[in-house]
Amino acid sequence: MHLGLWAPIYGGFLRNVGDEGMPATWSTIRDVAHSADRLGFHTVLVPELYLNDRKGTDQPSLEAWALTAAILATTERLRVMTAIRPGFHLPAVAAKTLSTLSDIAPGRIALNVVAAWWAEEARQFGGHFPAHDERYEQATEFVDVLLGALRESPFSYDGRFFQAHDTVVEPKPAQLPGVFAGGESDAGREAIAGFADSYAIHGGTVEEVRDKVADVHARRRRPVGEPLREVAMSAYVIVRDTEEEAQAELARITTVDPGSPGYASFQEFTANSALDVAVSAREYSVGTRGLRPNLVGTPQQVAERIRAYEDAGVTLLLIQSSPLVPELERIARDLAPLLDRSLVTTS
């Protein structure tokens, strides 16, 4: 299993803590990316939201693709997995962006195709936000056009949501970006099995994750004939010298304040997402169900739980923690050697 991380584009990850010491600035992202690159983390996920769903919709947040170019240009090894919502982009233009990014950092870019869930954000920014199942049809066409334009020139396509007419995208990348996507509904999983080569999931129990991974693997073999290339799971990680210290930190970040601006999107998230498990306000306090895997405890306890997820099929752990840079240092020093010393090094 590779270890990766989330970029804190919202000023952090916590809905119950206002100031995490990670302001939504390029300086913060640069420090996180450089630390992750130095420590040997594999991938940084850059989420794409135009409104801040962690600290409140009137708070600053950063744009994903501008950050992607900057991170790739200023790091050496770190792969950048950038989220992209088909309702906010033209696929051939996105292909041109990826063509350029692949020239900046060959082989270090991946996509996380997100069907989107936030109707208010789409209203404010003019995104196309069809019904839930249609958003996965939209995503399928988006990837068809994007990869098609990166593979051949000229490229034409006539779909319900997107068209391309003798489109030329040059230069062609030496390596096509990997395509991750996430979804829990039947329609979502079926679509992902066709258009994505990798699966991205929110945190869950080992049993939940094992079932989802097996299901999407099986679905993918039907239309494509190949299993998933990668499976990424998001998780919030707290590693401390003692279990008592870890539980105290967990209590600090999950003391729910229902009036916190970060909960403004809670009802819309649950209403517009076809979730297969209920999400409590406490779980929502860190987003992406990152607490559900329970990666909280001593290095030995957390390492044992991570091994169980690896056995369940997870190949990439996308870590959230706060404040991120010192926690990455702690994870590299105390946790990674218990998993595999080649994963993360401080050299």
Side-chain angles (χ1 to χ4, degrees), residues 258-280:
S260 169
Y263 285 89
S265 59
F266 180 50
Q267 297 299 330
E268 190 165 353
F269 171 71
T270 55
N272 288 316
S273 303
L275 304 177
D276 57 1
V277 296
V279 177
S280 69

Side-chain angles (χ1 to χ4, degrees), residues 201-254:
I201 57 178
H202 287 178
T205 66
V206 171
E207 292 74 19
E208 290 166 351
V209 168
R210 191 187 305 277
D211 289 347
K212 288 178 186 177
V213 172
D215 178 63
V216 178
H217 266 302
R219 291 174 190 258
R220 178 167 170 77
R221 285 190 177 94
R222 289 202 303 272
V224 181
E226 298 177 359
L228 294 163
R229 183 182 300 175
E230 298 182 63
V231 175
M233 184 183 77
S234 298
Y236 195 91
V237 177
I238 300 173
V239 173
R240 295 294 185 269
D241 292 338
T242 68
E243 186 174 5
E244 291 74 19
E245 289 174 308
Q247 290 300 319
E249 172 64 6
L250 178 62
R252 180 184 76 86
I253 69 171
T254 56

Side-chain angles (χ1 to χ4, degrees), residues 304-317:
E304 182 177 354
R305 292 166 193 158
I306 288 175
R307 290 190 202 99
Y309 282 100
E310 185 173 27
D311 183 67
V314 175
T315 65
L316 173 64
L317 187 68

